[in-house]
Amino acid sequence: MHKTILTTPDGASYPILTGSGLLNTAGAEIAAIKAPCRVMIVSDKNVAPLYMEQAKKSFAGAGFTVSEFVVNPGEESKSIAVFGALLEAFCEAHMTRADLAVALGGGVIGDLTGFAAGCYLRGIPFVQLPTTLLAAVDASVGGKTAVNLDHGKNLAGVFHQPLAVICDTDTLQTLSQHEIHDGSAEAIKHGILDDTALFEIYEHGDPESSYEEIIVRSVIYKSKIVTEDPNEKGVRKLLNLGHTAAHAIERLSDFGISHGHAVAIGTAIVTRAAVRRGLLAADAGERILFTLRRAGLPVVSPFSPDDMARIAAIDKKAAASDITVILPEAIGRCRMEKIPISALSALFADGQEAPA
Ligand code: NAD
């Protein structure tokens, strides 16, 4: 088992545990830092049949009083309606501020549960038990929580740090290739941002036998960034590499293109744009595109630069008339650049695949 401690400047400090068999010991790990209380385990209809009983047994065995709340799988559950239903379920279970919400699932369950835990009674503690590669390398760490609104992705949410993150790498065995690819996009993103060795696992290594290392490297990097900038006022914006286009692509596809796949396309777009603008060497750009493809990810957007820019303009990260975009300068180093929203379409156009 590997342990990383994330400490934020405002005093939050929590362990991130990664390893095999941790679902069985999660209850005991939490009992060591939290007195026995009510626990509501939130999951979805794909994950619950696989891991709910194991999770319940783990927490009940450690002295917690356990109930469950299971939602439909997929992005549709990151909605105000499901968020409201979860808050009502907390009430029905008589949850107090001394009690605990537990997210057992992927990024959807983590974001939904974290947001509900952050709002219920002005905030109750919650624990992340990520079961997708994407949630393990990214979504479960850092305290960003949200649901979607009709106007866009993640438009309602709070920063609410978990009490602990416990990733049982055994749960990744039941993921489909599509979901593995999704998580790979965020891990490759971390490699491009900061960690060449992580990038190279995807470029010429064997990711399938390296998930623990991939998760630990990602968690260490993300913890470093969140420690410096928990509320995304500065350096944390780097983690949005590829995300301006990605959120637009998710919405334009009516969420038919999943988050990780959209991030891969978004990363390919800013990579090509950085090469065309002389910020990134052409061979580094080629390595990034090759590595995304090698990980089974798409690198071409089915939507026009104008359509993506129109949707991105109403993304919450657009402050006033400017937007911060992240551009790779080398593998392992990226820069933030504030550009007028009116310049976004030209950036996306520079990021299109050159005609053959
Ligand atoms: P997800 O939660 O929808 O999971 C993907 C699919 O995998 C679902 O169908 C789920 O039921 C299934 N699944 C989960 N674990 C499984 C397992 N072990 N075995 C079999 N099936 C399993 O999606 P995701 O890709 O994990 O996360 C995407 C979400 O995360 C998006 O909403 C995105 O916005 C969010 N996100 C949040 C952050 C953050 O910092 N909060 C960061 C990145 C992404």
Side-chain angles (χ1 to χ4, degrees):
M1 178 185 76
H2 185 277
K3 183 175 189 171
T4 305
I5 301 282
L6 191 157
T7 306
T8 67
D10 37 15
S13 177
Y14 56 92
I16 302 161
L17 310 180
T18 308
S20 167
L22 292 186
L23 210 45
N24 294 329
T25 52
E29 294 285 354
I30 299 304
I33 51 175
K34 174 117 186 67
C37 62
R38 290 189 184 84
V39 166
M40 169 89 68
I41 305 181
V42 182
S43 193
D44 73 32
K45 286 180 184 164
N46 291 336
V47 178
L50 297 167
Y51 304 112
M52 181 61 91
E53 281 318 306
Q54 200 182 345
K56 281 169 97 170
K57 207 170 147 200
S58 179
F59 279 87
F64 295 97
T65 305
V66 185
S67 58
E68 64 175 70
F69 185 81
V70 178
V71 304
N72 285 329
E75 195 70 27
E76 71 185 52
S77 285
K78 261 178 69 170
S79 69
I80 287 290
V82 178
F83 164 74
L86 178 51
L87 294 178
E88 297 295 349
F90 286 158
C91 290
E92 275 155 34
H94 306 291
M95 301 269 284
T96 70
R97 272 195 200 145
D99 295 321
L100 183 70
V102 173
L104 173 68
V108 163
I109 294 302
D111 279 9
L112 169 73
T113 309
F115 183 35
C119 293
Y120 182 66
L121 304 177
R122 299 193 180 86
I124 65 169
F126 85 114
V127 166
Q128 293 269 20
L129 303 180
T131 64
T132 62
L133 183 61
L134 185 141
V137 299
D138 192 359
S140 64
V141 176
K144 265 193 183 181
T145 76
V147 298
N148 305 324
L149 301 182
D150 289 345
H151 280 77
K153 277 267 299 178
N154 298 334
L155 290 185
V158 291
F159 286 99
H160 185 48
Q161 300 292 343
L163 187 69
V165 180
I166 302 177
C167 175
D168 183 340
T169 48
D170 296 345
T171 61
L172 306 181
Q173 284 166 13
T174 49
L175 288 174
S176 69
Q177 278 303 303
H178 188 274
E179 284 138 11
I180 290 288
H181 296 163
D182 263 339
S184 301
E186 299 280 16
I188 292 170
K189 177 193 81 177
H190 293 147
I192 298 169
L193 284 167
D194 186 65
D195 186 339
T196 6
L198 173 55
F199 180 85
E200 284 168 2
I201 295 175
Y202 280 100
E203 187 183 25
H204 44 65
D206 178 17
E208 263 181 53
S209 61
S210 314
Y211 290 136
E212 190 162 335
E213 182 182 352
I214 288 167
I215 294 167
V216 170
R217 283 185 168 278
S218 287
V219 161
I220 289 172
Y221 170 63
K222 191 158 180 191
S223 299
K224 191 175 77 178
I225 291 283
V226 174
T227 296
E228 219 175 298
D229 177 21
N231 297 325
E232 201 176 297
K233 299 221 168 17
V235 73
R236 187 167 178 175
K237 288 185 182 155
L238 283 169
L239 297 173
N240 293 325
L241 173 67
H243 280 56
T244 305
H247 285 164
I249 290 166
E250 284 181 85
R251 278 200 63 210
L252 284 164
S253 72
D254 211 8
F255 298 104
I257 299 179
S258 57
H259 183 72
H261 283 64
V263 167
I265 298 170
T267 302
I269 288 173
V270 287
T271 296
R272 290 191 203 95
V275 171
R276 284 206 180 118
R277 292 176 178 205
L279 300 170
L280 176 71
D283 65 329
E286 276 313 312
R287 283 176 66 196
I288 292 173
L289 297 173
F290 166 83
T291 300
L292 290 168
R293 280 193 222 98
R294 184 173 189 252
L297 289 158
V299 292
V300 177
S301 174
F303 304 108
S304 74
D306 281 350
D307 282 347
M308 289 189 289
R310 182 173 47 80
I311 298 295
I314 55 169
D315 186 284
K316 69 177 185 307
K317 290 174 190 82
S321 56
D322 292 334
I323 191 162
T324 301
V325 293
I326 315 303
L327 296 164
E329 293 181 311
I331 290 165
R333 195 179 74 244
C334 294
R335 71 148 83 160
M336 290 186 257
E337 205 165 291
K338 209 179 238 192
I339 62 166
I341 288 181
S342 54
L344 208 47
S345 181
L347 180 87
F348 290 160
D350 277 353
Q352 278 187 310
E353 201 171 42

